[in-house]
Amino acid sequence: VQLQASGGGLVEAGASLRLSCKTSGRAFSMYDMGWFRQAPGKEREFVIHISPSGVSSYYADSVKGRFTISRDNVKNVVYLQMNNLKPEDTAVYYCAAGATIVQLSSHPNYWGQGTLVTVSS
């Protein structure tokens, strides 16, 4: 499985942005998917999860009510919709895939390359 993230950019605080993670490989629909982020000088953070059937069971406290995740198992794409962005959301965002949510949250089976999101105040 190969993952390719896109959609990052520079936005002002309060704006919205949607990231996409295009995947290749037949097994996409079987994987738990998620997004991580790494802000400058900080450790990588697990942000959000979606199950193979499309249920989201984990949101970091810092993004609850603002970020949503969805997936299209036909197009093999995972989306991260980010609303009401804040300067503290500035980070490199990575999509990832795991055989289970435990695998995903601890040691994902696959990583995409990062896409930079910069939120100005």
Side-chain angles (χ1 to χ4, degrees):
V1 176
Q2 294 185 328
L3 312 178
Q4 184 168 2
S6 62
L10 172 63
V11 297
E12 293 183 350
S16 297
L17 205 58
R18 189 177 78 161
L19 306 183
S20 299
C21 178
K22 175 67 176 175
T23 71
S24 63
R26 300 178 183 178
F28 168 77
S29 62
M30 298 173 61
Y31 282 93
D32 285 85
M33 301 294 296
W35 290 88
F36 291 72
R37 67 184 181 184
Q38 188 166 19
K42 295 188 177 180
E43 293 187 354
R44 193 171 295 187
E45 172 190 22
F46 182 36
V47 175
I48 199 166
H49 155 264
I50 190 166
S51 72
S53 63
V55 176
S56 299
S57 64
Y58 177 81
Y59 292 80
D61 288 341
S62 57
V63 306
K64 284 181 180 177
R66 300 188 298 121
F67 289 15
T68 56
I69 187 171
S70 61
R71 67 190 295 162
D72 185 330
N73 286 343
V74 174
K75 296 181 178 179
N76 289 357
V77 182
V78 176
Y79 301 102
L80 178 63
Q81 179 65 43
M82 305 183 293
N83 298 327
N84 190 22
L85 282 161
K86 303 176 180 180
E88 51 263 43
D89 294 318
T90 295
V92 178
Y93 285 72
Y94 299 89
C95 59
T100 65
I101 184 174
V102 173
Q103 185 79 46
L104 174 68
S105 62
S106 58
H107 295 91
N109 297 92
Y110 303 98
W111 286 101
Q113 92 290 358
T115 185
L116 177 62
V117 173
T118 304
V119 185
S120 63
S121 57

PDB file of all heavy atoms in Angstrom, residues 35-66:
ATOM      1  N   TRP A  35      -4.691  10.176  10.451  1.00  0.00           N
ATOM      2  CA  TRP A  35      -3.788  11.286  10.207  1.00  0.00           C
ATOM      3  C   TRP A  35      -2.996  11.577  11.477  1.00  0.00           C
ATOM      4  O   TRP A  35      -3.551  11.563  12.579  1.00  0.00           O
ATOM      5  CB  TRP A  35      -4.549  12.544   9.791  1.00  0.00           C
ATOM      6  CG  TRP A  35      -5.163  12.450   8.436  1.00  0.00           C
ATOM      7  CD1 TRP A  35      -6.402  11.951   8.139  1.00  0.00           C
ATOM      8  CD2 TRP A  35      -4.582  12.874   7.199  1.00  0.00           C
ATOM      9  NE1 TRP A  35      -6.622  12.032   6.779  1.00  0.00           N
ATOM     10  CE2 TRP A  35      -5.538  12.599   6.178  1.00  0.00           C
ATOM     11  CE3 TRP A  35      -3.373  13.466   6.842  1.00  0.00           C
ATOM     12  CZ2 TRP A  35      -5.282  12.894   4.846  1.00  0.00           C
ATOM     13  CZ3 TRP A  35      -3.132  13.758   5.519  1.00  0.00           C
ATOM     14  CH2 TRP A  35      -4.080  13.470   4.529  1.00  0.00           C
ATOM     15  N   PHE A  36      -1.726  11.830  11.280  1.00  0.00           N
ATOM     16  CA  PHE A  36      -0.837  12.302  12.332  1.00  0.00           C
ATOM     17  C   PHE A  36      -0.365  13.684  11.927  1.00  0.00           C
ATOM     18  O   PHE A  36      -0.477  14.091  10.777  1.00  0.00           O
ATOM     19  CB  PHE A  36       0.390  11.384  12.445  1.00  0.00           C
ATOM     20  CG  PHE A  36       0.099  10.011  12.983  1.00  0.00           C
ATOM     21  CD1 PHE A  36      -0.569   9.059  12.221  1.00  0.00           C
ATOM     22  CD2 PHE A  36       0.525   9.647  14.252  1.00  0.00           C
ATOM     23  CE1 PHE A  36      -0.829   7.785  12.709  1.00  0.00           C
ATOM     24  CE2 PHE A  36       0.287   8.373  14.753  1.00  0.00           C
ATOM     25  CZ  PHE A  36      -0.390   7.449  13.981  1.00  0.00           C
ATOM     26  N   ARG A  37       0.192  14.390  12.887  1.00  0.00           N
ATOM     27  CA  ARG A  37       0.821  15.657  12.552  1.00  0.00           C
ATOM     28  C   ARG A  37       2.029  15.874  13.434  1.00  0.00           C
ATOM     29  O   ARG A  37       2.115  15.339  14.543  1.00  0.00           O
ATOM     30  CB  ARG A  37      -0.164  16.822  12.702  1.00  0.00           C
ATOM     31  CG  ARG A  37      -0.607  17.118  14.124  1.00  0.00           C
ATOM     32  CD  ARG A  37      -1.655  18.235  14.128  1.00  0.00           C
ATOM     33  NE  ARG A  37      -2.096  18.571  15.481  1.00  0.00           N
ATOM     34  CZ  ARG A  37      -3.055  19.457  15.753  1.00  0.00           C
ATOM     35  NH1 ARG A  37      -3.681  20.085  14.754  1.00  0.00           N
ATOM     36  NH2 ARG A  37      -3.398  19.706  17.001  1.00  0.00           N
ATOM     37  N   GLN A  38       2.954  16.638  12.908  1.00  0.00           N
ATOM     38  CA  GLN A  38       4.159  16.976  13.667  1.00  0.00           C
ATOM     39  C   GLN A  38       4.440  18.447  13.507  1.00  0.00           C
ATOM     40  O   GLN A  38       4.739  18.917  12.403  1.00  0.00           O
ATOM     41  CB  GLN A  38       5.350  16.148  13.205  1.00  0.00           C
ATOM     42  CG  GLN A  38       6.573  16.318  14.080  1.00  0.00           C
ATOM     43  CD  GLN A  38       7.619  15.254  13.835  1.00  0.00           C
ATOM     44  OE1 GLN A  38       7.626  14.593  12.805  1.00  0.00           O
ATOM     45  NE2 GLN A  38       8.518  15.071  14.794  1.00  0.00           N
ATOM     46  N   ALA A  39       4.314  19.151  14.611  1.00  0.00           N
ATOM     47  CA  ALA A  39       4.599  20.578  14.633  1.00  0.00           C
ATOM     48  C   ALA A  39       6.095  20.773  14.849  1.00  0.00           C
ATOM     49  O   ALA A  39       6.779  19.899  15.391  1.00  0.00           O
ATOM     50  CB  ALA A  39       3.795  21.251  15.734  1.00  0.00           C
ATOM     51  N   PRO A  40       6.609  21.934  14.459  1.00  0.00           N
ATOM     52  CA  PRO A  40       8.039  22.195  14.637  1.00  0.00           C
ATOM     53  C   PRO A  40       8.473  22.016  16.086  1.00  0.00           C
ATOM     54  O   PRO A  40       7.848  22.570  16.995  1.00  0.00           O
ATOM     55  CB  PRO A  40       8.175  23.647  14.188  1.00  0.00           C
ATOM     56  CG  PRO A  40       7.046  23.867  13.248  1.00  0.00           C
ATOM     57  CD  PRO A  40       5.915  23.035  13.776  1.00  0.00           C
ATOM     58  N   GLY A  41       9.496  21.215  16.290  1.00  0.00           N
ATOM     59  CA  GLY A  41      10.024  21.023  17.624  1.00  0.00           C
ATOM     60  C   GLY A  41       9.210  20.119  18.529  1.00  0.00           C
ATOM     61  O   GLY A  41       9.524  19.981  19.717  1.00  0.00           O
ATOM     62  N   LYS A  42       8.189  19.486  17.968  1.00  0.00           N
ATOM     63  CA  LYS A  42       7.337  18.620  18.783  1.00  0.00           C
ATOM     64  C   LYS A  42       7.311  17.207  18.215  1.00  0.00           C
ATOM     65  O   LYS A  42       7.686  16.978  17.077  1.00  0.00           O
ATOM     66  CB  LYS A  42       5.912  19.180  18.843  1.00  0.00           C
ATOM     67  CG  LYS A  42       5.813  20.520  19.555  1.00  0.00           C
ATOM     68  CD  LYS A  42       4.359  20.923  19.749  1.00  0.00           C
ATOM     69  CE  LYS A  42       4.262  22.223  20.515  1.00  0.00           C
ATOM     70  NZ  LYS A  42       2.844  22.624  20.721  1.00  0.00           N
ATOM     71  N   GLU A  43       6.850  16.287  19.050  1.00  0.00           N
ATOM     72  CA  GLU A  43       6.736  14.905  18.601  1.00  0.00           C
ATOM     73  C   GLU A  43       5.517  14.731  17.693  1.00  0.00           C
ATOM     74  O   GLU A  43       4.575  15.524  17.747  1.00  0.00           O
ATOM     75  CB  GLU A  43       6.621  13.981  19.812  1.00  0.00           C
ATOM     76  CG  GLU A  43       7.874  13.919  20.668  1.00  0.00           C
ATOM     77  CD  GLU A  43       7.778  12.870  21.755  1.00  0.00           C
ATOM     78  OE1 GLU A  43       6.708  12.264  21.920  1.00  0.00           O
ATOM     79  OE2 GLU A  43       8.807  12.657  22.430  1.00  0.00           O
ATOM     80  N   ARG A  44       5.565  13.686  16.897  1.00  0.00           N
ATOM     81  CA  ARG A  44       4.436  13.389  16.029  1.00  0.00           C
ATOM     82  C   ARG A  44       3.225  13.006  16.884  1.00  0.00           C
ATOM     83  O   ARG A  44       3.348  12.246  17.848  1.00  0.00           O
ATOM     84  CB  ARG A  44       4.789  12.254  15.078  1.00  0.00           C
ATOM     85  CG  ARG A  44       3.805  12.072  13.941  1.00  0.00           C
ATOM     86  CD  ARG A  44       4.330  11.086  12.912  1.00  0.00           C
ATOM     87  NE  ARG A  44       5.533  11.581  12.247  1.00  0.00           N
ATOM     88  CZ  ARG A  44       6.106  10.955  11.213  1.00  0.00           C
ATOM     89  NH1 ARG A  44       5.592   9.821  10.759  1.00  0.00           N
ATOM     90  NH2 ARG A  44       7.184  11.457  10.671  1.00  0.00           N
ATOM     91  N   GLU A  45       2.065  13.507  16.507  1.00  0.00           N
ATOM     92  CA  GLU A  45       0.835  13.343  17.279  1.00  0.00           C
ATOM     93  C   GLU A  45      -0.210  12.621  16.441  1.00  0.00           C
ATOM     94  O   GLU A  45      -0.435  12.970  15.288  1.00  0.00           O
ATOM     95  CB  GLU A  45       0.317  14.730  17.695  1.00  0.00           C
ATOM     96  CG  GLU A  45      -1.048  14.739  18.342  1.00  0.00           C
ATOM     97  CD  GLU A  45      -1.612  16.143  18.505  1.00  0.00           C
ATOM     98  OE1 GLU A  45      -1.178  17.060  17.783  1.00  0.00           O
ATOM     99  OE2 GLU A  45      -2.523  16.315  19.325  1.00  0.00           O
ATOM    100  N   PHE A  46      -0.863  11.637  17.040  1.00  0.00           N
ATOM    101  CA  PHE A  46      -1.975  10.944  16.401  1.00  0.00           C
ATOM    102  C   PHE A  46      -3.203  11.833  16.522  1.00  0.00           C
ATOM    103  O   PHE A  46      -3.617  12.179  17.618  1.00  0.00           O
ATOM    104  CB  PHE A  46      -2.199   9.595  17.089  1.00  0.00           C
ATOM    105  CG  PHE A  46      -3.281   8.744  16.500  1.00  0.00           C
ATOM    106  CD1 PHE A  46      -3.509   8.719  15.139  1.00  0.00           C
ATOM    107  CD2 PHE A  46      -4.048   7.925  17.319  1.00  0.00           C
ATOM    108  CE1 PHE A  46      -4.489   7.902  14.599  1.00  0.00           C
ATOM    109  CE2 PHE A  46      -5.039   7.101  16.784  1.00  0.00           C
ATOM    110  CZ  PHE A  46      -5.262   7.096  15.423  1.00  0.00           C
ATOM    111  N   VAL A  47      -3.788  12.186  15.399  1.00  0.00           N
ATOM    112  CA  VAL A  47      -4.834  13.194  15.383  1.00  0.00           C
ATOM    113  C   VAL A  47      -6.231  12.603  15.260  1.00  0.00           C
ATOM    114  O   VAL A  47      -7.145  12.997  15.991  1.00  0.00           O
ATOM    115  CB  VAL A  47      -4.599  14.190  14.223  1.00  0.00           C
ATOM    116  CG1 VAL A  47      -5.754  15.177  14.120  1.00  0.00           C
ATOM    117  CG2 VAL A  47      -3.279  14.931  14.430  1.00  0.00           C
ATOM    118  N   ILE A  48      -6.399  11.668  14.329  1.00  0.00           N
ATOM    119  CA  ILE A  48      -7.751  11.234  14.004  1.00  0.00           C
ATOM    120  C   ILE A  48      -7.709   9.884  13.305  1.00  0.00           C
ATOM    121  O   ILE A  48      -6.719   9.548  12.642  1.00  0.00           O
ATOM    122  CB  ILE A  48      -8.429  12.312  13.129  1.00  0.00           C
ATOM    123  CG1 ILE A  48      -9.948  12.197  13.127  1.00  0.00           C
ATOM    124  CG2 ILE A  48      -7.852  12.314  11.724  1.00  0.00           C
ATOM    125  CD1 ILE A  48     -10.624  13.439  12.544  1.00  0.00           C
ATOM    126  N   HIS A  49      -8.786   9.117  13.472  1.00  0.00           N
ATOM    127  CA  HIS A  49      -8.850   7.753  12.950  1.00  0.00           C
ATOM    128  C   HIS A  49     -10.181   7.497  12.243  1.00  0.00           C
ATOM    129  O   HIS A  49     -11.206   8.075  12.604  1.00  0.00           O
ATOM    130  CB  HIS A  49      -8.701   6.771  14.116  1.00  0.00           C
ATOM    131  CG  HIS A  49      -9.314   5.423  13.861  1.00  0.00           C
ATOM    132  ND1 HIS A  49     -10.592   5.087  14.279  1.00  0.00           N
ATOM    133  CD2 HIS A  49      -8.831   4.332  13.206  1.00  0.00           C
ATOM    134  CE1 HIS A  49     -10.857   3.842  13.901  1.00  0.00           C
ATOM    135  NE2 HIS A  49      -9.801   3.364  13.259  1.00  0.00           N
ATOM    136  N   ILE A  50     -10.141   6.581  11.286  1.00  0.00           N
ATOM    137  CA  ILE A  50     -11.365   6.090  10.678  1.00  0.00           C
ATOM    138  C   ILE A  50     -11.208   4.600  10.406  1.00  0.00           C
ATOM    139  O   ILE A  50     -10.156   4.159   9.932  1.00  0.00           O
ATOM    140  CB  ILE A  50     -11.729   6.872   9.396  1.00  0.00           C
ATOM    141  CG1 ILE A  50     -13.138   6.497   8.919  1.00  0.00           C
ATOM    142  CG2 ILE A  50     -10.688   6.677   8.304  1.00  0.00           C
ATOM    143  CD1 ILE A  50     -13.698   7.460   7.873  1.00  0.00           C
ATOM    144  N   SER A  51     -12.242   3.856  10.722  1.00  0.00           N
ATOM    145  CA  SER A  51     -12.208   2.403  10.549  1.00  0.00           C
ATOM    146  C   SER A  51     -12.446   2.025   9.084  1.00  0.00           C
ATOM    147  O   SER A  51     -12.859   2.869   8.282  1.00  0.00           O
ATOM    148  CB  SER A  51     -13.275   1.756  11.428  1.00  0.00           C
ATOM    149  OG  SER A  51     -14.570   2.019  10.892  1.00  0.00           O
ATOM    150  N   PRO A  52     -12.228   0.780   8.753  1.00  0.00           N
ATOM    151  CA  PRO A  52     -12.497   0.359   7.361  1.00  0.00           C
ATOM    152  C   PRO A  52     -13.939   0.623   6.925  1.00  0.00           C
ATOM    153  O   PRO A  52     -14.185   0.902   5.742  1.00  0.00           O
ATOM    154  CB  PRO A  52     -12.190  -1.142   7.387  1.00  0.00           C
ATOM    155  CG  PRO A  52     -11.154  -1.283   8.458  1.00  0.00           C
ATOM    156  CD  PRO A  52     -11.545  -0.290   9.501  1.00  0.00           C
ATOM    157  N   SER A  53     -14.871   0.557   7.858  1.00  0.00           N
ATOM    158  CA  SER A  53     -16.281   0.778   7.508  1.00  0.00           C
ATOM    159  C   SER A  53     -16.694   2.235   7.570  1.00  0.00           C
ATOM    160  O   SER A  53     -17.845   2.567   7.293  1.00  0.00           O
ATOM    161  CB  SER A  53     -17.174  -0.036   8.449  1.00  0.00           C
ATOM    162  OG  SER A  53     -17.015   0.390   9.784  1.00  0.00           O
ATOM    163  N   GLY A  54     -15.763   3.099   7.963  1.00  0.00           N
ATOM    164  CA  GLY A  54     -16.062   4.530   7.952  1.00  0.00           C
ATOM    165  C   GLY A  54     -16.451   5.130   9.286  1.00  0.00           C
ATOM    166  O   GLY A  54     -16.967   6.240   9.345  1.00  0.00           O
ATOM    167  N   VAL A  55     -16.197   4.411  10.362  1.00  0.00           N
ATOM    168  CA  VAL A  55     -16.517   4.926  11.699  1.00  0.00           C
ATOM    169  C   VAL A  55     -15.270   5.573  12.301  1.00  0.00           C
ATOM    170  O   VAL A  55     -14.195   4.976  12.296  1.00  0.00           O
ATOM    171  CB  VAL A  55     -17.008   3.793  12.614  1.00  0.00           C
ATOM    172  CG1 VAL A  55     -17.241   4.314  14.021  1.00  0.00           C
ATOM    173  CG2 VAL A  55     -18.278   3.174  12.046  1.00  0.00           C
ATOM    174  N   SER A  56     -15.450   6.761  12.820  1.00  0.00           N
ATOM    175  CA  SER A  56     -14.328   7.461  13.451  1.00  0.00           C
ATOM    176  C   SER A  56     -14.387   7.226  14.953  1.00  0.00           C
ATOM    177  O   SER A  56     -15.379   7.572  15.590  1.00  0.00           O
ATOM    178  CB  SER A  56     -14.395   8.955  13.153  1.00  0.00           C
ATOM    179  OG  SER A  56     -14.326   9.180  11.774  1.00  0.00           O
ATOM    180  N   SER A  57     -13.368   6.650  15.496  1.00  0.00           N
ATOM    181  CA  SER A  57     -13.399   6.324  16.919  1.00  0.00           C
ATOM    182  C   SER A  57     -12.364   7.070  17.730  1.00  0.00           C
ATOM    183  O   SER A  57     -12.293   6.909  18.945  1.00  0.00           O
ATOM    184  CB  SER A  57     -13.200   4.816  17.114  1.00  0.00           C
ATOM    185  OG  SER A  57     -11.917   4.438  16.652  1.00  0.00           O
ATOM    186  N   TYR A  58     -11.559   7.893  17.083  1.00  0.00           N
ATOM    187  CA  TYR A  58     -10.565   8.651  17.841  1.00  0.00           C
ATOM    188  C   TYR A  58     -10.373  10.038  17.232  1.00  0.00           C
ATOM    189  O   TYR A  58     -10.184  10.180  16.025  1.00  0.00           O
ATOM    190  CB  TYR A  58      -9.214   7.939  17.873  1.00  0.00           C
ATOM    191  CG  TYR A  58      -8.175   8.748  18.602  1.00  0.00           C
ATOM    192  CD1 TYR A  58      -8.116   8.738  19.995  1.00  0.00           C
ATOM    193  CD2 TYR A  58      -7.290   9.575  17.912  1.00  0.00           C
ATOM    194  CE1 TYR A  58      -7.198   9.522  20.669  1.00  0.00           C
ATOM    195  CE2 TYR A  58      -6.372  10.355  18.586  1.00  0.00           C
ATOM    196  CZ  TYR A  58      -6.336  10.324  19.961  1.00  0.00           C
ATOM    197  OH  TYR A  58      -5.433  11.101  20.636  1.00  0.00           O
ATOM    198  N   TYR A  59     -10.429  11.016  18.110  1.00  0.00           N
ATOM    199  CA  TYR A  59     -10.098  12.387  17.760  1.00  0.00           C
ATOM    200  C   TYR A  59      -9.213  12.927  18.882  1.00  0.00           C
ATOM    201  O   TYR A  59      -9.568  12.798  20.060  1.00  0.00           O
ATOM    202  CB  TYR A  59     -11.336  13.277  17.695  1.00  0.00           C
ATOM    203  CG  TYR A  59     -12.299  13.000  16.574  1.00  0.00           C
ATOM    204  CD1 TYR A  59     -13.221  11.967  16.650  1.00  0.00           C
ATOM    205  CD2 TYR A  59     -12.305  13.798  15.435  1.00  0.00           C
ATOM    206  CE1 TYR A  59     -14.124  11.727  15.626  1.00  0.00           C
ATOM    207  CE2 TYR A  59     -13.208  13.578  14.401  1.00  0.00           C
ATOM    208  CZ  TYR A  59     -14.110  12.545  14.509  1.00  0.00           C
ATOM    209  OH  TYR A  59     -14.997  12.319  13.492  1.00  0.00           O
ATOM    210  N   ALA A  60      -8.117  13.536  18.541  1.00  0.00           N
ATOM    211  CA  ALA A  60      -7.341  14.230  19.564  1.00  0.00           C
ATOM    212  C   ALA A  60      -8.191  15.358  20.143  1.00  0.00           C
ATOM    213  O   ALA A  60      -8.984  15.985  19.426  1.00  0.00           O
ATOM    214  CB  ALA A  60      -6.064  14.789  18.962  1.00  0.00           C
ATOM    215  N   ASP A  61      -8.041  15.610  21.416  1.00  0.00           N
ATOM    216  CA  ASP A  61      -8.847  16.649  22.074  1.00  0.00           C
ATOM    217  C   ASP A  61      -8.703  17.995  21.376  1.00  0.00           C
ATOM    218  O   ASP A  61      -9.666  18.765  21.289  1.00  0.00           O
ATOM    219  CB  ASP A  61      -8.440  16.784  23.537  1.00  0.00           C
ATOM    220  CG  ASP A  61      -8.889  15.612  24.379  1.00  0.00           C
ATOM    221  OD1 ASP A  61      -9.808  14.876  23.944  1.00  0.00           O
ATOM    222  OD2 ASP A  61      -8.333  15.413  25.475  1.00  0.00           O
ATOM    223  N   SER A  62      -7.547  18.257  20.880  1.00  0.00           N
ATOM    224  CA  SER A  62      -7.268  19.561  20.282  1.00  0.00           C
ATOM    225  C   SER A  62      -8.017  19.789  18.965  1.00  0.00           C
ATOM    226  O   SER A  62      -8.115  20.930  18.514  1.00  0.00           O
ATOM    227  CB  SER A  62      -5.763  19.715  20.037  1.00  0.00           C
ATOM    228  OG  SER A  62      -5.285  18.658  19.221  1.00  0.00           O
ATOM    229  N   VAL A  63      -8.556  18.732  18.370  1.00  0.00           N
ATOM    230  CA  VAL A  63      -9.234  18.899  17.080  1.00  0.00           C
ATOM    231  C   VAL A  63     -10.709  18.548  17.126  1.00  0.00           C
ATOM    232  O   VAL A  63     -11.411  18.698  16.116  1.00  0.00           O
ATOM    233  CB  VAL A  63      -8.538  18.067  15.974  1.00  0.00           C
ATOM    234  CG1 VAL A  63      -7.047  18.388  15.908  1.00  0.00           C
ATOM    235  CG2 VAL A  63      -8.784  16.575  16.167  1.00  0.00           C
ATOM    236  N   LYS A  64     -11.185  18.096  18.263  1.00  0.00           N
ATOM    237  CA  LYS A  64     -12.597  17.720  18.377  1.00  0.00           C
ATOM    238  C   LYS A  64     -13.493  18.897  18.047  1.00  0.00           C
ATOM    239  O   LYS A  64     -13.267  20.016  18.500  1.00  0.00           O
ATOM    240  CB  LYS A  64     -12.893  17.214  19.789  1.00  0.00           C
ATOM    241  CG  LYS A  64     -12.396  15.808  20.044  1.00  0.00           C
ATOM    242  CD  LYS A  64     -12.731  15.341  21.449  1.00  0.00           C
ATOM    243  CE  LYS A  64     -12.222  13.926  21.692  1.00  0.00           C
ATOM    244  NZ  LYS A  64     -12.470  13.462  23.081  1.00  0.00           N
ATOM    245  N   GLY A  65     -14.495  18.624  17.223  1.00  0.00           N
ATOM    246  CA  GLY A  65     -15.428  19.664  16.823  1.00  0.00           C
ATOM    247  C   GLY A  65     -14.960  20.492  15.647  1.00  0.00           C
ATOM    248  O   GLY A  65     -15.725  21.304  15.115  1.00  0.00           O
ATOM    249  N   ARG A  66     -13.714  20.308  15.225  1.00  0.00           N
ATOM    250  CA  ARG A  66     -13.185  21.103  14.109  1.00  0.00           C
ATOM    251  C   ARG A  66     -12.731  20.234  12.937  1.00  0.00           C
ATOM    252  O   ARG A  66     -12.852  20.643  11.786  1.00  0.00           O
ATOM    253  CB  ARG A  66     -12.001  21.947  14.589  1.00  0.00           C
ATOM    254  CG  ARG A  66     -12.357  22.918  15.704  1.00  0.00           C
ATOM    255  CD  ARG A  66     -11.187  23.869  16.000  1.00  0.00           C
ATOM    256  NE  ARG A  66     -10.005  23.151  16.455  1.00  0.00           N
ATOM    257  CZ  ARG A  66      -8.830  23.210  15.832  1.00  0.00           C
ATOM    258  NH1 ARG A  66      -8.681  23.928  14.745  1.00  0.00           N
ATOM    259  NH2 ARG A  66      -7.782  22.551  16.319  1.00  0.00           N
TER     260      ARG A  66
END
